[in-house]
Amino acid sequence: MYKYPKSKKIKAARSYTIPEVAEVLGCSTRTVRNWAGMGLRVLTGNRPYLIVGDDLKKFLADQSASKKVKLAPNELYCLSCKAPRQPLGLMADEIRQTATISRLVGLCEVCGGTCNRMISARALPEFARIFDIASKQTLTA
Ligand SMILES: [Zn+2]
């Protein structure tokens, strides 16, 4: 399972560009962009896009914590509640991340926030029996 890097090298009061985050944490810029898709806040008002150190530290801490949570087959993980939740109406969007991994995204039935679950693309038919899944394209022009 993917291990999130330690955020000790990140300074809370600093802002980082995506390549700087990748360099400091020793991961790829693609990984950092994936985090943005998973809820890491990126300031996109000006270029280069910036990530606030404090946001990054919190995101990495949340991800490490969320890894420990066991999800029932009908649950996604709510980033706001920081808890497993059923998505509203058992509806989820499937967003393909890689050739083998997809992300299910739904709305939390409790807080209305975004809830997520990374699944193996092979497991999609199983989840399609539980959730009403709409497939979306990740890459746009
Ligand atoms: Zn929630």
Side-chain angles (χ1 to χ4, degrees):
M1 184 154 207
Y2 180 74
K3 202 167 184 305
Y4 284 88
K6 296 272 182 258
S7 61
K8 281 178 194 154
K9 291 177 187 162
I10 298 290
K11 292 183 172 66
R14 235 204 93 170
S15 292
Y16 296 83
T17 64
I18 289 170
E20 281 169 348
V21 170
E23 193 182 331
V24 172
L25 295 179
C27 60
S28 70
T29 55
R30 186 192 175 110
T31 297
V32 180
R33 289 192 175 92
N34 282 345
W35 293 343
M38 291 164 62
L40 172 63
R41 190 166 70 109
V42 179
L43 307 177
T44 57
N46 292 297
R47 285 185 179 269
Y49 293 170
L50 292 175
I51 295 167
V52 177
D54 192 45
D55 287 343
L56 181 58
K57 283 170 106 60
K58 283 181 181 142
F59 173 82
L60 292 173
D62 285 352
Q63 295 307 315
S64 296
S66 71
K67 264 194 338 186
K68 289 165 195 147
V69 175
K70 282 262 190 233
L71 298 175
N74 62 347
E75 289 174 333
L76 307 181
Y77 186 81
C78 176
L79 297 170
S80 303
C81 299
K82 303 195 194 322
R85 298 290 188 210
Q86 278 190 12
L88 202 62
L90 284 176
M91 289 187 297
D93 290 335
E94 179 229 350
I95 302 170
R96 190 56 72 95
Q97 307 287 296
T98 69
T100 54
I101 296 173
S102 279
R103 181 162 57 104
L104 295 179
V105 183
L107 290 179
C108 173
E109 63 173 357
V110 175
C111 75
T114 302
C115 43
N116 284 291
R117 179 173 192 156
M118 302 299 282
I119 63 164
S120 135
R122 273 185 314 180
L124 189 61
E126 286 168 44
F127 285 100
R129 275 189 250 132
I130 299 165
F131 300 117
D132 183 4
I133 295 179
S135 291
K136 301 225 163 162
Q137 292 294 329
T138 16
L139 301 175
T140 48

